[in-house]
Amino acid sequence: KEYADKLAGEDRKADINNVPVGTGPFSFVAYQKDAVIRYKANPDYFKGKTPVDDLIFAITPDPAVRMQKLQAGECQIMPYPSPADIQALKDDSNIKVDEQPGLNVAYLAYNTTQAPFDKPEVRKALNMAINKDAIIDAVFQGAGQVAKNPIPPT
């Protein structure tokens, strides 16, 4: 709180994100917008220094590039692969794939104040006409399930 108050008093509120403080196992080193965040082991961490000296988060928006980095050994963890790449990752004996159901729901929304979407029977007919299994297969490569409500089963 004192640090935040000091930054606010110096009109440097943005530094709370760019020059953070903390007491965790890693200390902030540098942040390059849209590229990388670097940390180093905190020798004063109350549980002792972590065995990992440097922790680097490479910000890589493209899942294909993330996968290439993982396969080349340029990184050790990769989140959110493209659904089309999941089987190739599973087939690679050098890579361990951990999976769990997601907490997201994809859906179509209609403007119910505009005709013909203001009629429940039209919305029900459209819902029945959409081949949801085909969408899951084509878009999510089978890595999904048909939603039954707005909250995922997980």
Side-chain angles (χ1 to χ4, degrees):
K1 180 183 181 319
E2 293 82 11
Y3 180 56
D5 289 343
K6 177 180 183 259
L7 292 175
E10 296 172 359
D11 197 29
R12 295 176 33 220
K13 288 182 185 177
D15 281 351
I16 198 83
N17 293 323
N18 300 325
V19 188
V21 296
T23 59
F26 292 95
S27 299
F28 175 79
V29 173
Y31 168 59
Q32 184 179 353
K33 186 173 171 42
D34 298 329
V36 68
I37 307 169
R38 296 179 184 277
Y39 299 90
K40 65 178 179 183
N42 179 358
D44 299 321
Y45 183 51
F46 79 101
K47 289 187 177 181
K49 183 183 168 292
T50 180
V52 176
D53 291 326
D54 297 299
L55 180 62
I56 301 168
F57 287 93
I59 301 169
T60 311
D62 185 332
V65 175
R66 285 196 305 267
M67 182 172 154
Q68 290 171 349
K69 286 182 173 185
L70 182 69
Q71 290 174 319
E74 293 178 29
C75 67
Q76 286 70 49
I77 298 173
M78 170 199 157
Y80 312 117
S82 170
D85 294 331
I86 292 174
Q87 191 57 53
L89 290 168
K90 288 180 178 179
D91 292 343
D92 188 329
S93 62
N94 297 314
I95 295 174
K96 178 182 177 224
V97 176
D98 287 329
E99 297 177 272
Q100 71 179 39
L103 293 174
N104 60 329
V105 175
Y107 62 94
L108 290 175
Y110 304 108
N111 183 348
T112 59
T113 64
Q114 300 290 316
F117 306 112
D118 57 340
K119 296 183 176 16
E121 49 276 354
V122 170
R123 297 192 304 269
K124 288 178 185 176
L126 287 168
N127 182 50
M128 291 172 60
I130 294 171
N131 185 341
K132 297 171 193 79
D133 289 323
I135 292 171
I136 287 173
D137 287 342
V139 175
F140 300 104
Q141 304 293 306
Q145 64 189 65
V146 174
K148 303 214 177 348
N149 58 55
I151 307 222
T154 55

